[in-house]
Amino acid sequence: MNIHSEINTTVDPIKLDKLAEVAVKVGLQLQRDQDLVMTAPLAALPLVRLITKHAYMAGAGLVTTFYSDEETTLARYAHAPDASFDKASGWLYEGMATAYANGAARLAIAGDNPLLLSGQDPAKVARANKANSTAYKPALEKISNFDINWNIISYPNPSWAKVVFPELPEDEAVLRLAEAIFAASRVDVADPISAWAGHNANLKKRSSWLNGERFSALHFTGPGTDLMVGLADGHEWHGGASTAKNGVTCNPNIPTEEVFTTPHALKVEGHVSSTKPLSHQGTLIDEIQVRFEGGRIVEAKASKGEAVLNKVLDTDEGARRLGEVALVPHSSPISASGILFYNTLFDENASCHIALGQCYSKCFLEGASLSQEQIAAQGGNSSLIHIDWMIGSDRIDIDGIKADGSRVPVMRKGEWA
Amino acid sequence: MNIHSEINTTVDPIKLDKLAEVAVKVGLQLQRDQDLVMTAPLAALPLVRLITKHAYMAGAGLVTTFYSDEETTLARYAHAPDASFDKASGWLYEGMATAYANGAARLAIAGDNPLLLSGQDPAKVARANKANSTAYKPALEKISNFDINWNIISYPNPSWAKVVFPELPEDEAVLRLAEAIFAASRVDVADPISAWAGHNANLKKRSSWLNGERFSALHFTGPGTDLMVGLADGHEWHGGASTAKNGVTCNPNIPTEEVFTTPHALKVEGHVSSTKPLSHQGTLIDEIQVRFEGGRIVEAKASKGEAVLNKVLDTDEGARRLGEVALVPHSSPISASGILFYNTLFDENASCHIALGQCYSKCFLEGASLSQEQIAAQGGNSSLIHIDWMIGSDRIDIDGIKADGSRVPVMRKGEWA
Ligand SMILES: [Zn+2]
Ligand SMILES: [Zn+2]
Ligand SMILES: [Zn+2]
Ligand SMILES: [Zn+2]
């Protein structure tokens, strides 16, 4: 009955306001008269309010926000009948898809407790996730096809902060996480908007070099890893700001440190080990080891969460194949912070990573004009899921392999070569 | 940045839990595996959580809740561009209509600050309300046609409590309003479920008598009032629990003290004065005086909120005609409390009232099988709006007029005759 403990009120209000401004002006580049659909944990209310204010000041048409509540989510697991776990609010996601088709932008505030569901029956968690992914597909496609400008940004939800800093009292944990979010999101500087312009230019330089090299594969080697990742035909590298099909240039992820592209769904061979734990919808999956044959994961182990991992891989055929490969230097600011965030938005930007499942059509040359069939023919994977996990560290080397078999050093010991 | 003051944590937890149980078991009669769509002010979170728990314990499939936030609503009025005020989230309401068509139940928690928008430009308020009513129509029709079981219940939102008890400190105002809600909702007794069974039986007795009399009109007389309200052909009186088209017997309003039916949209003559202020979407409309000719309001005055009233009447043709007439004895517990709630759910149950706009198809004999055209032909009104306002007091007499012109006393000085 007491939500005071869940709503933190001591987070630096100036930086939080800057974060909201960056979400609207850099993350979304929200357009005049454009509607906005926002989702947020209830605890992120202070940030929701600031983003709403900045959105309307930027000329937003209508801002509509949906809140998730950890307590009611747990009430479902505690009390709902078994049939509940195959249900999802498809009518809501179809509505969101309609809103995006009509031109609305999309903002998600991340910050849920990464361990929220770790005590629940993994079979129920998997069924609920699958039902939700299936129902969410019409809306997710508008985002993964980059039809509209969208953004994910984070709020230091106390339940998340306690997972990241278990040794600190809650208030201190929230403040530490808040400062880490502000730093990684580049709002701890005098002029965050121009800081983002500079950062976007740097990421552009890296992706342009990779696009010029036109590698046919990347070879990852390191402890527990010897992985050849074929790249999709006509793949294109992206990083930082990017232009959606509606013509708006936005920064979908804040923070972001990665340059990324589409692997070939049929051309991944070898084995790879995760280098950071993966927090997947409330469950922690740690020390993943998988083996690929013909692009398909044929063997998967994990020291923690192996059952959930294998449920995930069984979601559909595309869940066992890659939809993304991304390069992040080990010296990236998020990695340098030394914090394990248990949150993909941050942890994937501390480390080279790969993603199981759905590819991004924008990671193809002229991707906007390719049909689903053409994307598949060029090696683009499709799936209900898109799950990033971390395979980079200061002990990983990466070579680019050209069509003639020649090798170009891309990274050495986790840094750009 | 501080929502602590908006979330009250001292409301009696036992009675609040009973209120949640009554909402699920009496208000909705929620069925096993039935989904639930809930809307609530953010401040009602404690009640949302308890209702969610009781819903899942009763076997709910999936509970989906949408929160409104007074601060973001005001941010829109403060900062949004002019075009925003002709917009509404039609995609969301269409989604809700789909959910109801697929069998979901509907619960609304009332408790918004009745004066929230009283400082805003009435033209913008009217435009935003009209856009919202238009967009909401597909969902509202499922409710006004009684396709599904639905319920409205209240939470003592602090911003509402301060309007009801302006002389009290906020905490005391909330406690006073909470106790008034608990009493009116019959959860301050040992066994609320059986208290509701008894109350429903009493209301049934009244509506059965009225249905037996088959009046063709009701004649209201009192200070400032001489009003002949023709009743629709084949009208049916209802009160208390009622059975939706999906077969579920529910109590749509908690509290409820009224018996009500459908007036004839073309057969209302004379003048009537309101006896309590009407709080309409954030604006207070007081001392209404209107004159009807041929069922249509041809003159409307108010001492406060007259501009908003006239905007409302201009919503559409049906907004000037009646969709409901309801009888409530002056001695009803809500009236006896002496509290003016500035909230229709309560104030309409303290007083005889009429409603502008949309009629309820269930208030016709065999209403479920009537087409929109048949309902109109029998005198049923249609409109985007349904706004109840109070015309009863201890100085009002009501006669029932039979087809042959004979009169039967229905109420004298506000009490059943
Ligand atoms: Zn990535
Ligand atoms: Zn990814
Ligand atoms: Zn009524
Ligand atoms: Zn009514």
Side-chain angles (χ1 to χ4, degrees):
Chain A
M1 217 79 67
N2 185 336
I3 79 156
H4 180 58
S5 66
E6 297 166 44
I7 305 282
N8 185 272
T9 56
T10 54
V11 169
D12 183 330
I14 310 273
K15 287 179 189 160
L16 196 66
D17 191 74
K18 281 186 178 177
L19 187 66
E21 191 180 0
V22 160
V24 170
K25 294 187 181 167
V26 176
L28 292 174
Q29 288 273 11
L30 196 70
Q31 303 294 295
R32 195 161 177 90
D33 294 327
Q34 189 176 26
D35 290 346
L36 174 60
V37 177
M38 183 154 43
T39 55
L42 218 69
L45 181 63
L47 182 58
V48 169
R49 287 175 169 175
L50 291 169
I51 288 174
T52 304
K53 180 191 76 175
H54 279 287
Y56 283 128
M57 286 167 65
L62 196 59
V63 180
T64 307
T65 301
F66 301 98
Y67 297 90
S68 58
D69 175 32
E70 295 181 353
E71 189 167 319
T72 53
T73 300
L74 291 176
R76 183 183 178 200
Y77 280 89
H79 303 295
D82 187 70
S84 170
F85 298 93
D86 298 316
K87 290 196 158 201
S89 296
W91 55 271
L92 173 59
Y93 298 136
E94 279 158 33
M96 288 182 176
T98 302
Y100 305 150
N102 292 339
R106 163 86 174 102
L107 194 145
I109 301 180
D112 285 312
N113 177 355
L115 303 181
L116 182 67
L117 300 180
S118 54
Q120 306 302 325
D121 174 2
K124 281 187 179 172
V125 173
R127 283 165 58 202
N129 286 345
K130 183 169 182 178
N132 203 62
S133 299
T134 305
Y136 189 49
K137 194 157 195 190
L140 181 62
E141 276 175 355
K142 307 276 185 219
I143 296 165
S144 56
N145 290 340
F146 212 18
D147 286 359
I148 52 158
N149 44 330
W150 62 274
N151 173 249
I152 308 180
I153 203 155
S154 291
Y155 183 82
N157 191 339
S159 65
W160 176 25
K162 283 190 283 190
V163 172
V164 179
F165 301 106
E167 72 287 2
L168 296 182
E170 180 177 297
D171 274 9
E172 277 178 53
V174 167
L175 289 181
R176 279 283 301 278
L177 181 57
E179 291 306 316
I181 290 172
F182 294 147
S185 305
R186 295 181 152 76
V187 298
D188 61 344
V189 296
D191 183 357
I193 310 287
S194 70
W196 272 96
H199 180 52
N200 279 327
N202 283 337
L203 292 169
K204 190 85 191 166
K205 227 179 293 174
R206 294 290 177 195
S207 59
S208 296
W209 176 74
L210 286 159
N211 282 325
E213 293 291 324
R214 301 234 54 75
F215 294 125
S216 62
L218 296 178
H219 187 201
F220 290 75
T221 51
T225 290
D226 183 350
L227 185 71
M228 186 68 79
V229 179
L231 300 181
D233 305 336
H235 70 269
E236 189 170 49
W237 289 89
H238 282 273
S242 194
T243 304
K245 288 185 193 168
N246 66 0
V248 180
T249 300
C250 63
N251 263 95
N253 287 358
I254 287 181
T256 186
E257 302 287 339
E258 62 177 336
V259 292
F260 59 102
T261 195
T262 304
H264 197 294
L266 308 178
K267 298 183 181 169
V268 183
E269 304 288 343
H271 58 275
V272 62
S273 300
S274 66
T275 51
K276 287 173 185 280
L278 163 64
S279 164
H280 176 63
Q281 298 185 306
T283 305
L284 212 65
I285 308 176
D286 201 7
E287 299 186 71
I288 302 170
Q289 291 183 292
V290 303
R291 191 162 59 78
F292 287 88
E293 279 180 21
R296 190 166 185 277
I297 293 178
V298 292
E299 207 185 316
K301 289 188 289 188
S303 67
K304 260 190 217 160
E306 184 172 301
V308 172
L309 173 64
N310 277 295
K311 285 270 178 198
V312 163
L313 293 174
D314 286 340
T315 307
D316 53 24
E317 174 57 26
R320 290 188 175 268
R321 298 178 185 275
L322 295 188
E324 178 190 341
V325 58
L327 304 180
V328 180
H330 182 68
S331 62
S332 92
I334 296 170
S335 176
S337 79
I339 300 170
L340 181 60
F341 288 86
Y342 298 91
N343 177 309
T344 300
L345 183 60
F346 287 80
D347 293 328
E348 74 161 355
N349 282 302
S351 168
C352 291
H353 57 273
I354 50 181
L356 302 173
Q358 181 65 41
C359 73
Y360 291 105
S361 63
K362 75 165 177 179
C363 289
F364 284 94
L365 294 164
E366 318 217 20
S369 62
L370 295 180
S371 68
Q372 295 299 322
E373 292 68 30
Q374 284 170 311
I375 286 172
Q378 290 180 218
N381 192 31
S382 76
S383 171
L384 291 174
I385 65 164
H386 176 102
I387 299 175
D388 300 273
W389 51 287
M390 283 55 82
I391 63 168
S393 78
D394 57 358
R395 298 162 74 191
I396 295 284
D397 293 338
I398 306 173
D399 282 350
I401 315 288
K402 297 229 172 183
D404 63 4
S406 63
R407 289 177 168 257
V408 177
V410 174
M411 286 194 160
R412 286 294 175 265
K413 295 192 185 303
E415 299 301 325
W416 291 106
Chain B
M1 218 77 69
N2 184 338
I3 78 155
H4 180 58
S5 65
E6 297 167 44
I7 305 281
N8 185 274
T9 56
T10 54
V11 169
D12 183 330
I14 311 272
K15 288 179 188 160
L16 196 65
D17 192 73
K18 282 186 178 178
L19 186 66
E21 191 180 0
V22 161
V24 170
K25 294 187 182 166
V26 176
L28 292 173
Q29 288 273 12
L30 195 70
Q31 303 295 294
R32 196 163 176 86
D33 294 326
Q34 189 176 26
D35 290 346
L36 174 61
V37 177
M38 182 153 45
T39 55
L42 218 70
L45 182 63
L47 182 57
V48 169
R49 287 175 169 174
L50 291 168
I51 288 173
T52 304
K53 180 191 76 175
H54 280 287
Y56 283 129
M57 284 167 66
L62 196 59
V63 180
T64 307
T65 301
F66 301 98
Y67 297 90
S68 59
D69 175 32
E70 296 182 350
E71 188 167 320
T72 52
T73 300
L74 291 177
R76 183 184 179 200
Y77 280 89
H79 303 296
D82 187 71
S84 170
F85 297 92
D86 297 316
K87 290 194 158 202
S89 296
W91 55 269
L92 174 59
Y93 298 136
E94 279 157 34
M96 287 182 177
T98 302
Y100 305 150
N102 293 340
R106 161 88 173 102
L107 194 145
I109 300 180
D112 286 311
N113 177 357
L115 302 181
L116 182 68
L117 300 179
S118 54
Q120 306 301 326
D121 174 2
K124 281 187 180 171
V125 173
R127 282 164 59 203
N129 285 345
K130 183 169 182 178
N132 203 62
S133 299
T134 306
Y136 188 49
K137 194 157 194 190
L140 180 62
E141 276 175 357
K142 308 274 185 221
I143 296 165
S144 56
N145 290 339
F146 212 18
D147 287 358
I148 53 158
N149 45 329
W150 62 274
N151 173 250
I152 309 181
I153 203 155
S154 291
Y155 183 81
N157 190 339
S159 65
W160 176 26
K162 283 190 283 190
V163 172
V164 178
F165 301 106
E167 72 286 2
L168 298 182
E170 180 177 297
D171 274 9
E172 277 179 53
V174 167
L175 290 181
R176 280 284 300 278
L177 182 57
E179 290 306 315
I181 290 172
F182 294 147
S185 305
R186 294 180 153 75
V187 298
D188 61 345
V189 296
D191 183 356
I193 310 287
S194 70
W196 272 95
H199 181 52
N200 279 327
N202 283 337
L203 292 169
K204 191 86 192 163
K205 227 179 291 174
R206 294 290 178 194
S207 59
S208 296
W209 176 75
L210 286 160
N211 283 324
E213 293 290 323
R214 300 234 55 75
F215 296 124
S216 61
L218 296 178
H219 187 201
F220 290 75
T221 51
T225 289
D226 183 350
L227 185 72
M228 187 68 80
V229 179
L231 299 182
D233 304 337
H235 69 270
E236 189 170 49
W237 289 89
H238 282 272
S242 194
T243 303
K245 288 185 194 169
N246 66 0
V248 180
T249 300
C250 63
N251 263 95
N253 287 357
I254 285 182
T256 187
E257 301 288 337
E258 61 178 336
V259 293
F260 59 103
T261 194
T262 304
H264 196 295
L266 308 177
K267 298 183 181 170
V268 183
E269 303 288 343
H271 58 274
V272 61
S273 300
S274 65
T275 51
K276 287 173 185 282
L278 164 64
S279 164
H280 176 62
Q281 297 185 307
T283 305
L284 212 64
I285 308 177
D286 202 5
E287 297 187 74
I288 302 171
Q289 291 182 291
V290 303
R291 191 162 61 78
F292 287 87
E293 279 180 20
R296 191 167 184 277
I297 292 178
V298 293
E299 208 186 314
K301 289 188 289 189
S303 67
K304 260 189 215 162
E306 184 173 299
V308 171
L309 173 63
N310 277 294
K311 285 270 180 201
V312 164
L313 293 174
D314 287 340
T315 307
D316 53 25
E317 174 58 26
R320 291 188 174 268
R321 298 180 184 275
L322 295 188
E324 178 190 341
V325 59
L327 304 180
V328 180
H330 183 69
S331 61
S332 92
I334 296 170
S335 177
S337 78
I339 300 171
L340 180 61
F341 289 85
Y342 298 91
N343 178 307
T344 300
L345 183 60
F346 287 80
D347 293 328
E348 74 161 356
N349 282 303
S351 169
C352 291
H353 56 273
I354 50 181
L356 302 173
Q358 181 66 41
C359 73
Y360 290 105
S361 63
K362 76 165 177 179
C363 288
F364 284 94
L365 295 164
E366 318 218 21
S369 62
L370 296 179
S371 67
Q372 294 300 321
E373 292 68 31
Q374 285 170 310
I375 286 171
Q378 291 182 216
N381 192 31
S382 75
S383 170
L384 291 175
I385 65 165
H386 176 102
I387 300 175
D388 300 274
W389 51 286
M390 284 54 84
I391 63 168
S393 77
D394 56 358
R395 299 161 75 191
I396 294 283
D397 293 339
I398 306 174
D399 282 351
I401 316 287
K402 296 230 171 182
D404 63 4
S406 64
R407 289 178 169 258
V408 177
V410 174
M411 286 193 161
R412 286 295 176 264
K413 295 193 184 305
E415 299 302 325
W416 291 105

